[in-house]
Amino acid sequence: MTIDLGFMKAGWAISTLSTLWLDENNVQTNIPNRIREYTGLESISMPSTGLTGTIPTEIGALTKLKEVFLKNNTLSGPVPVEFAQIPNLRVLELMENQLVGAIPDILCSKSFQSLTADCAESATPRVDCDCCTECS
């Protein structure tokens, strides 16, 4: 069964939704740009869900976020610098994706409990990261 994120595209946002956890469910789609309208989100957990596409820059509008788990998907493109706009973000798990480029320096200036990416020398593709707490 595939989970449809259509509820996030339909034009209604739940500003009181604080947690979006879809761990290991078959989502098989991209993260919609409308995610910016879910301003109450404090935690996004979608590891191993089949997410594709890029991480939308609109994620920076979610200023209440504390943790983002997007591990083990097929997300591509660069890591959005907009993550730096989220003041209390302490966990950002991006490893086991197809992300490229570098973790923006401004993100490295934040105090993360966990910042993960595909930054090991053997990773393909590889993300350059001088501040990751774990590299795969």
Side-chain angles (χ1 to χ4, degrees):
M1 180 173 97
T2 301
I3 293 181
D4 183 6
L5 291 182
F7 72 92
M8 297 186 87
K9 300 175 186 175
W12 57 275
I14 305 171
S15 61
T16 57
L17 182 69
S18 64
T19 303
L20 180 61
W21 286 7
L22 298 172
D23 301 35
E24 298 182 20
N25 282 285
N26 190 18
V27 175
Q28 300 290 328
T29 190
N30 63 334
I31 302 170
N33 294 343
R34 294 194 76 112
I35 196 159
R36 72 180 171 277
E37 297 174 12
Y38 288 75
T39 56
L41 280 175
E42 295 178 16
S43 179
I44 296 173
S45 186
M46 292 194 274
S48 306
T49 57
L51 286 173
T52 61
T54 60
I55 301 171
T57 58
E58 288 82 358
I59 205 157
L62 303 178
T63 58
K64 293 183 180 178
L65 271 179
K66 296 176 183 167
E67 51 189 21
V68 176
F69 302 94
L70 298 174
K71 177 181 174 179
N72 193 27
N73 286 291
T74 54
L75 294 166
S76 59
V79 175
V81 68
E82 286 78 7
F83 277 120
Q85 298 170 1
I86 306 171
N88 296 313
L89 186 62
R90 297 295 174 253
V91 175
L92 182 56
E93 294 195 357
L94 303 173
M95 62 184 6
E96 299 172 20
N97 277 289
Q98 300 297 310
L99 299 169
V100 295
I103 298 291
D105 288 340
I106 194 165
L107 274 179
C108 287
S109 67
K110 296 176 73 66
S111 296
F112 281 98
Q113 291 172 353
S114 177
L115 174 59
T116 70
D118 296 320
C119 49
E121 289 295 324
S122 61
T124 304
R126 185 173 185 271
V127 174
D128 293 325
C129 184
D130 294 330
C131 59
C132 284
T133 59
E134 183 179 350
C135 292
S136 69

